[in-house]
Amino acid sequence: MSEPVPSIRTSDAERDRVAGLLQEHFAQGRLDHEEFTERLSQAYRSRTVEELAVVTRDLPERDLADVGRAPLADAAAPPLRLRDPALMVPWVLYGGVNLLCFFIWMILYFTTGASYPWFLWVLGPWGIMMSVVTFGVLAAQRGQGDD
């Protein structure tokens, strides 16, 4: 007949880990102040792993509210497409402003004879910037999808 295995001694790091768990459960309201201080002192007096396990036996290892929740890192945002509102709204705004500038230029051209196409100074630089940003966003997302 074999003799029972002696209990395994616990370390300071294991006691500190259990103390952290107790603090977390106290903060979440599972333990009141009196029970928390009692269990904390019992955890620091524990000499074996079995004695330490008794302190947290009736407490969950992690918060039960997090069990059904998916981690945020796994929930990736869907990729942007050209028809996505995040890209379409700035392009519609760009088109509307430039159309307005063109109509103002047309009115000035027909009423005063001013023929300098100043609306191109709005159309050109803003269009270049919008194109660079749009293609940059789409290329960056395409590059992330390859990982």
Side-chain angles (χ1 to χ4, degrees):
M1 197 170 193
S2 65
E3 294 186 25
V5 178
S7 298
I8 299 173
R9 304 281 291 196
T10 187
S11 68
D12 288 338
E14 290 169 329
R15 287 187 198 97
D16 289 338
R17 182 186 66 80
V18 169
L21 283 173
L22 289 172
Q23 288 172 347
E24 193 174 312
H25 289 296
F26 175 65
Q28 292 172 356
R30 288 193 182 93
L31 301 172
D32 61 6
H33 181 68
E34 186 177 314
E35 190 175 13
F36 168 70
T37 55
E38 178 183 317
R39 287 184 186 216
L40 190 62
S41 64
Q42 185 179 356
Y44 280 116
R45 284 192 315 256
S46 298
R47 294 182 183 202
T48 63
V49 174
E50 290 82 18
E51 290 175 358
L52 200 56
V54 170
V55 176
T56 59
R57 183 180 320 159
D58 61 338
L59 298 171
E61 185 68 29
R62 60 185 182 148
D63 194 6
L64 296 176
D66 293 338
V67 172
R69 211 178 296 156
L72 293 177
D74 293 343
L80 289 177
R81 306 267 187 248
L82 284 176
R83 292 202 170 266
D84 194 296
L87 290 176
M88 286 299 291
V89 169
W91 278 106
V92 168
L93 182 64
Y94 166 77
V97 167
N98 283 293
L99 197 59
L100 178 67
C101 288
F102 178 73
F103 282 129
I104 291 172
W105 176 80
M106 291 279 292
I107 291 170
L108 289 173
Y109 177 75
F110 288 121
T111 58
T112 65
S115 63
Y116 182 74
W118 56 265
F119 67 91
L120 294 176
W121 287 105
V122 177
L123 182 96
W126 192 6
I128 292 169
M129 182 195 65
M130 289 285 295
S131 299
V132 167
V133 168
T134 300
F135 290 121
V137 166
L138 293 175
Q141 284 189 343
R142 190 171 299 134
Q144 285 178 353
D146 295 341
D147 291 345

